[in-house]
């Protein structure tokens, strides 16, 4: 049973427009959420994160929104650029009984930004 | 970029043979992880380590073992490779405490094919 769900396997957006990537989760114990970006033949790279005590975090063109009541987060990219074309993984973290931060990843959404 | 290397980067092996993948870091981070990435499953945790000789299982640990004899090296062993273990394997590291512990840095990946 997937605890972190990315229901859109792919998304195409015109350059300059907004890209919105969505993620839903089921585990109410998640306390930290992250987005990773992955180019082909490379490892994922950390993009942006948000604590469960916040509802928005912004870093340049990237903004993550968290709606705890809906168990939903989204990543907004404005304006979208061709170099943003990649697979985006949503991830969520919780502390286990030993204090280890256990991270669960979604299956990813492939974003294509069309010039 | 975080100093993480993986070797080999590509490997083809036959069913039933043992395989060892190596992850090496130069960041002196405490935590190290092994993930596998498969279509439709995203990134799934195989094993992780929270210190030298301290390891624990992830969600897909069956058929895999790990060892960490030095801070900088984390080995993943497939004792008897099966075709279901054909995948891309990523090593990741993270710092030991605070919010930085949530953010993992990934290596470039190892593509393993079991024939």
């Amino acid at each position: 049973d997937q605890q972190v769900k990315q229901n859109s396997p792919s998304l195409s957006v015109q350059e300059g427009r907004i890209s919105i990537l969505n993620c839903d989760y089921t585990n109410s114990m998640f306390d930290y959420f992250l987005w990773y970006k992955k180019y082909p033949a490379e490892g994922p790279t950390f993009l942006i994160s948000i604590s469960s005590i916040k509802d928005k975090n912004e870093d340049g063109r990237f903004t993550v929104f968290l709606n705890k009541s809906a168990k939903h987060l989204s990543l907004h990219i404005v304006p979208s650029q061709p170099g943003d074309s990649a697979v985006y993984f949503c991830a969520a973290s919780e502390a286990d009984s030993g204090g280890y931060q256990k991270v669960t990843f979604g299956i990813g959404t492939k974003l294509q930004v069309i010039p | 970029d975080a100093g993480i290397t993986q070797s080999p980067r590509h490997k083809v092996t036959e069913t039933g043979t043992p395989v060892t993948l190596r992850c090496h870091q130069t960041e002196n981070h405490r935590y190290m992880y092994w993930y596998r990435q498969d279509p439709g499953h995203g990134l799934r945790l195989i094993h992780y380590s929270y210190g030298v000789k301290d390891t624990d299982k992830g969600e897909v640990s069956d058929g895999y073992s790990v060892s960490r004899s030095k801070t900088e090296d984390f080995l993943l062993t497939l004792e008897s490779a099966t075709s279901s273990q054909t995948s891309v394997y990523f090593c990741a590291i993270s710092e030991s405490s605070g919010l930085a512990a949530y953010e993992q840095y990934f290596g470039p990946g190892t593509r393993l094919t079991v024939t």
Side-chain angles (χ1 to χ4, degrees), chain B residues 20-47:
Chain B
T20 296
L21 308 182
R22 179 180 183 242
C23 177
H24 178 79
Q25 61 148 328
T26 58
E27 306 297 320
N28 200 36
H29 282 1
R30 178 182 177 188
Y31 288 96
M32 298 186 75
Y33 315 82
W34 277 108
Y35 290 89
R36 59 179 290 175
Q37 183 195 7
D38 303 288
H41 291 279
L43 291 159
R44 293 182 292 174
L45 182 66
I46 305 171
H47 283 278

Side-chain angles (χ1 to χ4, degrees), chain B residues 44-107:
Chain B
R44 293 182 292 174
L45 182 66
I46 305 171
H47 283 278
Y48 66 97
S49 169
Y50 45 94
V52 173
K53 298 186 179 178
D54 291 324
T55 64
D56 206 347
K57 298 179 180 179
E59 64 178 301
V60 290
S61 60
D62 287 349
Y64 302 94
S65 63
V66 290
S67 65
R68 191 169 179 198
S69 58
K70 298 184 291 185
T71 299
E72 57 267 34
D73 291 324
F74 193 31
L75 304 181
L76 176 70
T77 298
L78 292 66
E79 300 291 346
S80 178
T82 67
S83 59
S84 65
Q85 293 175 313
T86 292
S87 186
V88 180
Y89 292 86
F90 289 100
C91 174
I93 63 175
S94 69
E95 295 186 42
S96 59
S97 62
L99 292 178
Y102 294 87
E103 298 164 12
Q104 298 179 13
Y105 299 93
F106 286 81

